[in-house]
């Protein structure tokens, strides 16, 4: 019989089970972004008219993976609602490990022709399915594990672990770039992080076997249908879309795409861009628990407005401030991440507080992942496309506009920090 959470269980055990697995999941996902330029050279043929064609193709595959996330959020969320959060968390990390290994062994275009890009697309589709399910399950698991008055703090570990995975991916990528020659990196070095990710997934799987179930085993209700959350809670579903839209675009711009944006638009050296990103992400991870605790004391809405209004006003001047130097990139990225912590630290708590326990995982997973796919997953592609058509300066305005839209939603959002969470 599955063990169910009680007040006697230590919270550190729950945080570790969720965080370690989540970090591994996101390490695998982000390694692709940091190594995009190497993958582009090896897997996609160069276009005759533009050297940006391979990079655009690589980011298009990145976006395709994102469009599997709503499916993962819906299906794995339903697994979490029907069979428990731990069952879904175990399944997602095994799926991520397999897909990471598949990226690592993808044949090059020179060796296998179009078969290479097809294998890469398949791997990214599986990764998208896994990551979409991971957010749905781990969000509910973390927030349901929290004691009263600590949901914001526990919520922050969603992005502590996500950022830790991203940080490891960035650090490993930067270390490989520094240690290997250009030929070695292009030939086989870019594959190393993905093989390592597959091995780390096994570690995450083992740790998650010790997780304690948070879904009440005493509930004898009929198991929810796949689309019950959407049919019975349409307003809550739309609310999550509005909450997430600006946050996900800002998040993927500042944490994933900014190094590439700086290379393309400010002539920042590739190794400088990777190291600046690594340092800024370490700082970002430290901000999460602080912001989460502030939300438990002051409420969710003030932090969301701090993020939304801040990005609406400062996105354009921050991105225009990039001048090719390592220091300026570090300052721009760190400044944006301070603002972004107002969203990331409490995203899990806000989402979980919107839905009842019966459909919480699937209810969060589908609208959240769909919004991330539409605005977060396409951020690198849109930014690179603006550059190719000669209007790179429009991208910062795009970020600012969407954050302004989300700010309007935050203004009308009911405060949920101090209410009871249905379990």
């Amino acid at each position: 019989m599955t063990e169910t959470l009680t007040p006697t269980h230590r919270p550190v055990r729950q945080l570790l089970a969720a965080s370690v697995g989540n970090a591994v999941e996101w390490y695998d996902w982000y390694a692709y972004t940091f190594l995009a330029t190497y993958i582009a050279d090896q897997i996609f043929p160069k276009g005759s008219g533009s050297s940006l064609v391979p990079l655009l193709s690589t980011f298009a595959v990145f976006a395709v993976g994102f469009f599997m996330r709503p499916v993962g959020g819906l299906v794995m969320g339903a697994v979490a609602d029907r069979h428990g959060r731990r069952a879904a968390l175990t399944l997602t990390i095994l799926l991520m490990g397999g897909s990471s290994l598949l990226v690592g062994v993808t044949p090059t275009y020179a060796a296998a022709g179009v078969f290479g890009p097809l294998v890469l697309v398949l791997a990214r589709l599986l990764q998208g399915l896994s990551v979409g399910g991971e957010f749905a399950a781990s969000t509910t698991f973390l927030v349901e594990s929290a004691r009263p008055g600590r949901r914001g703090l526990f919520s922050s570990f969603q992005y502590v672990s996500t950022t830790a995975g991203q940080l490891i991916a960035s650090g490993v990528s930067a270390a490989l770039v520094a240690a290997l020659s250009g030929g070695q990196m292009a030939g086989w070095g870019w594959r190393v992080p993905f093989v390592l990710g597959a091995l780390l997934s096994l570690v995450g799987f083992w740790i998650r076997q010790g997780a304690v179930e948070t879904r009440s085993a005493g509930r004898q209700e009929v198991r929810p249908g796949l689309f019950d959350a959407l049919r019975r809670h349409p307003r809550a579903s739309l609310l999550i879309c509005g909450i997430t839209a600006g946050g996900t675009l800002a998040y993927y711009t500042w944490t994933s795409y900014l190094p590439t944006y700086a290379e393309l638009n400010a002539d920042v050296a590739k190794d400088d861009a990777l190291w600046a990103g690594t340092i800024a992400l370490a700082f970002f991870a430290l901000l999460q628990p602080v912001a989460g605790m502030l939300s438990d004391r002051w409420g969710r809405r003030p932090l969301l407005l701090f993020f939304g209004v801040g990005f609406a006003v400062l996105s354009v001047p921050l991105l225009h401030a990039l001048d090719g130097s390592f220091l300026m990139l570090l300052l721009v990225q760190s400044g944006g991440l301070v603002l972004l912590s107002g969203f990331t630290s409490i995203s899990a708590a806000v989402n979980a507080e919107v839905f009842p326990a019966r459909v919480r995982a699937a209810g969060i997973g589908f609208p959240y992942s769909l919004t991330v796919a539409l605005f977060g997953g396409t951020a690198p592609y849109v930014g690179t496309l603006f550059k190719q058509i000669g209007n790179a300066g429009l991208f910062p305005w795009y970020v600012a506009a969407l954050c302004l839209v989300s700010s309007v939603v935050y203004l009308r959002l009911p405060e949920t920090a101090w209410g009871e969470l249905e379990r």
Side-chain angles (χ1 to χ4, degrees), residues 129-177:
L129 184 71
S130 174
V131 170
E134 172 68 21
F135 185 87
S138 62
T139 292
T140 53
F141 181 84
L142 274 172
V143 178
E144 289 173 355
S145 295
R147 292 173 180 172
R150 290 291 183 268
R151 291 200 302 266
L153 174 61
F154 270 58
S155 168
S156 71
F157 280 86
Q158 177 74 30
Y159 277 93
V160 169
S161 55
T162 297
T163 305
Q166 189 173 1
L167 182 62
I168 296 169
S170 175
V172 168
S173 301
L176 284 169
V177 169

Side-chain angles (χ1 to χ4, degrees), residues 276-402:
T278 301
I279 295 169
L281 285 172
F283 171 63
F284 185 53
L286 295 175
L287 291 173
Q288 302 307 303
V290 176
M293 287 188 289
L294 288 176
S295 81
D296 285 328
R297 183 170 183 176
W298 295 344
R300 317 293 188 221
R301 189 164 53 186
L303 269 75
L304 290 172
L305 287 170
F306 169 74
F307 151 72
V309 175
F311 257 92
V313 173
L314 295 176
S315 291
V316 174
L318 282 173
L319 289 178
H320 283 173
L322 294 171
D323 62 3
S325 70
F326 169 84
L327 180 59
M328 182 54 69
L329 174 58
L330 180 61
L331 291 174
V332 167
Q333 190 160 12
S334 298
L337 292 178
V338 170
L339 296 173
L340 187 59
S341 65
F343 169 80
T344 54
S345 63
I346 58 174
S347 174
V350 173
N351 289 340
E353 289 161 355
V354 167
F355 279 98
R358 180 175 178 270
V359 294
R360 182 171 289 139
I364 293 170
F366 182 73
Y368 174 87
S369 296
L370 180 62
T371 308
V372 170
L374 289 173
F375 300 107
T378 58
Y381 186 85
V382 171
T384 307
L385 186 61
F386 277 142
K387 171 66 175 179
Q388 188 187 34
I389 63 178
N391 289 299
L394 291 178
F395 184 71
W397 289 101
Y398 170 59
V399 177
L402 200 59

